Amino acid sequence: VQLVESGGESVQAGGSLRLSCAASEFSLDGFAVGWFRQAPGKEREGVSCISSTDGSTYYADRVKGRFTASIDPGENMAYLQMNNLNTEDAGVYYCAAEYSGLCWVAASLAVSEYDYWGQGTEVTVSS
């Protein structure tokens, strides 16, 4: 079971990035994929969740309207489109998968809910 993130880079505030999460050795069909951010010295926090089961999504308040999660079980890929980035969005972004996960409530952004994790991709935002 492997998740590999990509797409992180350095951007200016107000810019956009699209992160990708590639799954291998298992299918994302039936899974929820969460995106998490960890800033230096801070705990890992949930950003978004999307379920391949029912298409439900859940976002942290601070990214609502700016970030959009998507999932393509056929390609075994998940994505996080991030627009209007600000310096508080900087950090290492991780994707994670939870079997039979749904994304209806805030608990869907809890680190403890997820079974499989990628190694992270770093996003830097300059002002």
Side-chain angles (χ1 to χ4, degrees):
V1 173
Q2 190 174 18
L3 294 170
V4 179
E5 303 92 337
S6 62
E9 61 181 74
S10 181
V11 295
Q12 288 193 326
S16 298
L17 281 177
R18 187 194 196 204
L19 304 183
S20 299
C21 174
S24 61
E25 301 178 22
F26 76 108
S27 171
L28 284 178
D29 192 20
F31 279 79
V33 173
W35 285 94
F36 295 79
R37 180 186 73 100
Q38 189 163 21
K42 300 287 183 64
E43 291 188 355
R44 196 170 298 187
E45 61 177 7
V47 173
S48 70
C49 173
I50 182 165
S51 171
S52 68
T53 301
D54 66 354
S56 56
T57 56
Y58 199 92
Y59 296 92
D61 286 344
R62 63 176 188 82
V63 306
K64 283 180 182 176
R66 299 188 298 123
F67 290 14
T68 303
S70 59
I71 189 168
D72 186 344
E75 294 294 326
N76 241 13
M77 296 289 296
Y79 305 94
L80 183 66
Q81 177 67 42
M82 306 188 295
N83 297 328
N84 194 21
L85 286 159
N86 59 57
T87 55
E88 294 183 352
D89 295 319
V92 178
Y93 280 74
Y94 299 88
C95 68
E98 175 196 9
Y99 185 66
S100 295
L102 302 174
C103 304
W104 296 349
V105 295
S108 63
L109 298 185
V111 169
S112 60
E113 291 294 307
Y114 290 83
D115 306 307
Y116 307 112
W117 290 84
Q119 85 292 344
T121 185
E122 187 167 10
V123 173
T124 304
V125 183
S126 58
S127 58

